[in-house]
Amino acid sequence: MPDEPAATIIGTGERAGSPEITVVVPCYREADNVRPLVSALEIALAGRDWEVIFVDDNSPDGTIEVIRQLAWANWRVRGISRIGRRGLSSAVIEGALASSARFIAVMDGDLQHDQTRLGTMVDVLAQDRCDIVIGSRHVEGGDNAGLANAWRHALSNGGIRLAQMMLPVHVGDPMSGFFALRRDLFVRTAPCLSGQGFKILMDLILSAPEKVRVEEIPCTFHPRAAGESKLDAVVLLQFVDLILEKLFRGWLPLRFIGFATVGITGVGVNLIVMMLLRFVGMDFGPAQVISTLIAITSNFWLDNKLVYSDRRLRGMGLLGGFLVFLLVSAVGAWANIGIVQLFRAKGEGLGQASAVGAIIGVVWNYAVSSTLIWKTR
């Protein structure tokens, strides 16, 4: 494939064409980090033709306003403001698809990634040594001391072990959010990406139309200067969901897998509460009602926190959503009972009838919840 044309400068201070490198920075609550990051990029990429695209998920701290102020004075700075949707992976996708550069680099907005390695990463791609180059903490010379505590180290290491079991190529740091690739590869891969969760690198490697060549270069993971870390148990759970979606080769949507998993936990909550209430002497009828309401509440909280984290309900919307969720769950339970009775009347075994009823119930709950409660805004 021939090299894409470089940008040219016309007139005084005017610019034509696309830069060679686009650095995509997904961000949320990073107002204090934007200016230092741009300054760091100016030093790291001096002499190169580059731009940075910040993709902000409507941060309440005014992150996008800082980006716009910089953009007025610096053509290299661009900003995308997203309203009604959140998520690192989808932000990276939008930022990368807004670029026409030859190379795409992805890094976080928290100043923890070593921007001084960007030039080397781009050079590796330009020499066609690989398809994706990763800034790695887990090769010789790399360092992940910037992770805040032992808990975050454990989360990161757990995700790495899970990912390495799935990937078709060996990657020492598949949880890295610091990597670069050719834009044409990203564009060809984008239609197959899940767009959910926080770990898009693994999604890219698994979704690429052909087996990718990967090279890792050592990087230091710096301590966070400002803002708050996004790495928590939710990220790891979403990472597990991504692995499951890829195992099912896209036949089951990532969000449906998460929704069904939460439903299974609800069954456990229902049984535990029921046994406790019966143990203290409560009659079966009231115990069943209370345990069911607690299970539904647990399911709603987990769905809002984990499954629909990018559409999370807050304030009065949370209360309204919960009331609708109660109604939807009640209809689903009623339908489940009716289906079981229908199958039993036709001579089917209880186990088979219950399984069919449960499947139809969870599909109903998922479909209605996704369209009425956590609908795309």
Side-chain angles (χ1 to χ4, degrees), residues 216-232:
E216 296 181 84
I217 64 171
C219 286
T220 298
F221 196 68
H222 301 298
R224 170 177 277 273
E228 56 189 36
S229 175
K230 315 302 188 293
L231 179 62
D232 55 19

PDB file of all heavy atoms in Angstrom, residues 216-232:
ATOM      1  N   GLU A 216       6.083  -5.307  21.120  1.00  0.00           N
ATOM      2  CA  GLU A 216       5.976  -4.558  22.362  1.00  0.00           C
ATOM      3  C   GLU A 216       7.281  -3.819  22.634  1.00  0.00           C
ATOM      4  O   GLU A 216       8.366  -4.381  22.463  1.00  0.00           O
ATOM      5  CB  GLU A 216       5.655  -5.492  23.528  1.00  0.00           C
ATOM      6  CG  GLU A 216       4.300  -6.161  23.400  1.00  0.00           C
ATOM      7  CD  GLU A 216       3.969  -7.057  24.572  1.00  0.00           C
ATOM      8  OE1 GLU A 216       3.468  -6.552  25.596  1.00  0.00           O
ATOM      9  OE2 GLU A 216       4.220  -8.270  24.453  1.00  0.00           O
ATOM     10  N   ILE A 217       7.159  -2.564  23.050  1.00  0.00           N
ATOM     11  CA  ILE A 217       8.334  -1.804  23.448  1.00  0.00           C
ATOM     12  C   ILE A 217       8.170  -1.417  24.914  1.00  0.00           C
ATOM     13  O   ILE A 217       7.049  -1.172  25.381  1.00  0.00           O
ATOM     14  CB  ILE A 217       8.543  -0.548  22.577  1.00  0.00           C
ATOM     15  CG1 ILE A 217       7.397   0.434  22.755  1.00  0.00           C
ATOM     16  CG2 ILE A 217       8.695  -0.921  21.103  1.00  0.00           C
ATOM     17  CD1 ILE A 217       7.660   1.777  22.100  1.00  0.00           C
ATOM     18  N   PRO A 218       9.242  -1.407  25.681  1.00  0.00           N
ATOM     19  CA  PRO A 218       9.120  -1.134  27.125  1.00  0.00           C
ATOM     20  C   PRO A 218       8.676   0.292  27.411  1.00  0.00           C
ATOM     21  O   PRO A 218       9.135   1.239  26.774  1.00  0.00           O
ATOM     22  CB  PRO A 218      10.531  -1.401  27.651  1.00  0.00           C
ATOM     23  CG  PRO A 218      11.425  -1.227  26.463  1.00  0.00           C
ATOM     24  CD  PRO A 218      10.630  -1.665  25.270  1.00  0.00           C
ATOM     25  N   CYS A 219       7.771   0.419  28.356  1.00  0.00           N
ATOM     26  CA  CYS A 219       7.276   1.730  28.779  1.00  0.00           C
ATOM     27  C   CYS A 219       7.130   1.756  30.294  1.00  0.00           C
ATOM     28  O   CYS A 219       6.875   0.734  30.930  1.00  0.00           O
ATOM     29  CB  CYS A 219       5.917   2.038  28.140  1.00  0.00           C
ATOM     30  SG  CYS A 219       5.998   2.461  26.407  1.00  0.00           S
ATOM     31  N   THR A 220       7.261   2.937  30.839  1.00  0.00           N
ATOM     32  CA  THR A 220       7.055   3.146  32.266  1.00  0.00           C
ATOM     33  C   THR A 220       5.647   3.674  32.489  1.00  0.00           C
ATOM     34  O   THR A 220       5.183   4.565  31.781  1.00  0.00           O
ATOM     35  CB  THR A 220       8.078   4.148  32.825  1.00  0.00           C
ATOM     36  OG1 THR A 220       9.385   3.621  32.647  1.00  0.00           O
ATOM     37  CG2 THR A 220       7.841   4.407  34.297  1.00  0.00           C
ATOM     38  N   PHE A 221       4.958   3.106  33.445  1.00  0.00           N
ATOM     39  CA  PHE A 221       3.608   3.534  33.790  1.00  0.00           C
ATOM     40  C   PHE A 221       3.718   4.502  34.965  1.00  0.00           C
ATOM     41  O   PHE A 221       3.988   4.104  36.097  1.00  0.00           O
ATOM     42  CB  PHE A 221       2.776   2.305  34.168  1.00  0.00           C
ATOM     43  CG  PHE A 221       1.298   2.544  34.182  1.00  0.00           C
ATOM     44  CD1 PHE A 221       0.600   2.785  33.011  1.00  0.00           C
ATOM     45  CD2 PHE A 221       0.584   2.500  35.366  1.00  0.00           C
ATOM     46  CE1 PHE A 221      -0.772   2.985  33.023  1.00  0.00           C
ATOM     47  CE2 PHE A 221      -0.784   2.694  35.396  1.00  0.00           C
ATOM     48  CZ  PHE A 221      -1.463   2.932  34.218  1.00  0.00           C
ATOM     49  N   HIS A 222       3.532   5.805  34.697  1.00  0.00           N
ATOM     50  CA  HIS A 222       3.758   6.833  35.703  1.00  0.00           C
ATOM     51  C   HIS A 222       2.591   6.926  36.696  1.00  0.00           C
ATOM     52  O   HIS A 222       1.453   6.603  36.360  1.00  0.00           O
ATOM     53  CB  HIS A 222       3.941   8.197  35.037  1.00  0.00           C
ATOM     54  CG  HIS A 222       5.091   8.250  34.081  1.00  0.00           C
ATOM     55  ND1 HIS A 222       6.385   8.037  34.473  1.00  0.00           N
ATOM     56  CD2 HIS A 222       5.127   8.489  32.742  1.00  0.00           C
ATOM     57  CE1 HIS A 222       7.191   8.156  33.428  1.00  0.00           C
ATOM     58  NE2 HIS A 222       6.449   8.418  32.364  1.00  0.00           N
ATOM     59  N   PRO A 223       2.846   7.415  37.901  1.00  0.00           N
ATOM     60  CA  PRO A 223       1.755   7.685  38.844  1.00  0.00           C
ATOM     61  C   PRO A 223       0.824   8.756  38.292  1.00  0.00           C
ATOM     62  O   PRO A 223       1.251   9.658  37.558  1.00  0.00           O
ATOM     63  CB  PRO A 223       2.476   8.181  40.100  1.00  0.00           C
ATOM     64  CG  PRO A 223       3.878   7.682  39.966  1.00  0.00           C
ATOM     65  CD  PRO A 223       4.166   7.675  38.493  1.00  0.00           C
ATOM     66  N   ARG A 224      -0.461   8.650  38.613  1.00  0.00           N
ATOM     67  CA  ARG A 224      -1.443   9.628  38.142  1.00  0.00           C
ATOM     68  C   ARG A 224      -1.167  10.981  38.775  1.00  0.00           C
ATOM     69  O   ARG A 224      -0.971  11.083  39.986  1.00  0.00           O
ATOM     70  CB  ARG A 224      -2.851   9.141  38.500  1.00  0.00           C
ATOM     71  CG  ARG A 224      -3.945  10.174  38.288  1.00  0.00           C
ATOM     72  CD  ARG A 224      -5.299   9.592  38.581  1.00  0.00           C
ATOM     73  NE  ARG A 224      -5.802   8.863  37.423  1.00  0.00           N
ATOM     74  CZ  ARG A 224      -6.481   9.443  36.438  1.00  0.00           C
ATOM     75  NH1 ARG A 224      -6.715  10.740  36.461  1.00  0.00           N
ATOM     76  NH2 ARG A 224      -6.919   8.729  35.418  1.00  0.00           N
ATOM     77  N   ALA A 225      -1.188  12.037  37.927  1.00  0.00           N
ATOM     78  CA  ALA A 225      -0.926  13.391  38.407  1.00  0.00           C
ATOM     79  C   ALA A 225      -2.189  14.049  38.959  1.00  0.00           C
ATOM     80  O   ALA A 225      -2.154  14.772  39.945  1.00  0.00           O
ATOM     81  CB  ALA A 225      -0.342  14.238  37.277  1.00  0.00           C
ATOM     82  N   ALA A 226      -3.330  13.816  38.289  1.00  0.00           N
ATOM     83  CA  ALA A 226      -4.592  14.430  38.716  1.00  0.00           C
ATOM     84  C   ALA A 226      -5.735  13.552  38.251  1.00  0.00           C
ATOM     85  O   ALA A 226      -5.548  12.611  37.481  1.00  0.00           O
ATOM     86  CB  ALA A 226      -4.722  15.843  38.137  1.00  0.00           C
ATOM     87  N   GLY A 227      -6.956  13.862  38.706  1.00  0.00           N
ATOM     88  CA  GLY A 227      -8.110  13.071  38.316  1.00  0.00           C
ATOM     89  C   GLY A 227      -8.198  11.789  39.113  1.00  0.00           C
ATOM     90  O   GLY A 227      -7.556  11.611  40.136  1.00  0.00           O
ATOM     91  N   GLU A 228      -9.014  10.845  38.619  1.00  0.00           N
ATOM     92  CA  GLU A 228      -9.242   9.614  39.348  1.00  0.00           C
ATOM     93  C   GLU A 228      -9.089   8.426  38.418  1.00  0.00           C
ATOM     94  O   GLU A 228      -9.385   8.501  37.232  1.00  0.00           O
ATOM     95  CB  GLU A 228     -10.646   9.594  39.967  1.00  0.00           C
ATOM     96  CG  GLU A 228     -11.754   9.810  38.964  1.00  0.00           C
ATOM     97  CD  GLU A 228     -13.112  10.003  39.611  1.00  0.00           C
ATOM     98  OE1 GLU A 228     -13.158  10.630  40.687  1.00  0.00           O
ATOM     99  OE2 GLU A 228     -14.107   9.521  39.045  1.00  0.00           O
ATOM    100  N   SER A 229      -8.596   7.309  38.957  1.00  0.00           N
ATOM    101  CA  SER A 229      -8.353   6.119  38.153  1.00  0.00           C
ATOM    102  C   SER A 229      -9.667   5.491  37.711  1.00  0.00           C
ATOM    103  O   SER A 229     -10.652   5.493  38.444  1.00  0.00           O
ATOM    104  CB  SER A 229      -7.524   5.111  38.939  1.00  0.00           C
ATOM    105  OG  SER A 229      -7.382   3.917  38.205  1.00  0.00           O
ATOM    106  N   LYS A 230      -9.664   4.911  36.498  1.00  0.00           N
ATOM    107  CA  LYS A 230     -10.848   4.211  35.983  1.00  0.00           C
ATOM    108  C   LYS A 230     -10.737   2.706  36.181  1.00  0.00           C
ATOM    109  O   LYS A 230     -11.668   1.969  35.874  1.00  0.00           O
ATOM    110  CB  LYS A 230     -11.029   4.507  34.480  1.00  0.00           C
ATOM    111  CG  LYS A 230     -10.859   5.964  34.066  1.00  0.00           C
ATOM    112  CD  LYS A 230     -11.799   6.911  34.759  1.00  0.00           C
ATOM    113  CE  LYS A 230     -11.735   8.319  34.168  1.00  0.00           C
ATOM    114  NZ  LYS A 230     -10.477   9.002  34.378  1.00  0.00           N
ATOM    115  N   LEU A 231      -9.583   2.225  36.679  1.00  0.00           N
ATOM    116  CA  LEU A 231      -9.380   0.792  36.824  1.00  0.00           C
ATOM    117  C   LEU A 231     -10.029   0.298  38.109  1.00  0.00           C
ATOM    118  O   LEU A 231      -9.611   0.638  39.204  1.00  0.00           O
ATOM    119  CB  LEU A 231      -7.881   0.462  36.847  1.00  0.00           C
ATOM    120  CG  LEU A 231      -7.503  -1.016  37.019  1.00  0.00           C
ATOM    121  CD1 LEU A 231      -8.045  -1.840  35.861  1.00  0.00           C
ATOM    122  CD2 LEU A 231      -6.007  -1.172  37.152  1.00  0.00           C
ATOM    123  N   ASP A 232     -11.084  -0.505  37.974  1.00  0.00           N
ATOM    124  CA  ASP A 232     -11.722  -1.091  39.142  1.00  0.00           C
ATOM    125  C   ASP A 232     -12.299  -2.445  38.751  1.00  0.00           C
ATOM    126  O   ASP A 232     -12.087  -2.941  37.649  1.00  0.00           O
ATOM    127  CB  ASP A 232     -12.808  -0.165  39.708  1.00  0.00           C
ATOM    128  CG  ASP A 232     -13.852   0.227  38.668  1.00  0.00           C
ATOM    129  OD1 ASP A 232     -13.955  -0.478  37.634  1.00  0.00           O
ATOM    130  OD2 ASP A 232     -14.563   1.211  38.890  1.00  0.00           O
TER     131      ASP A 232
END
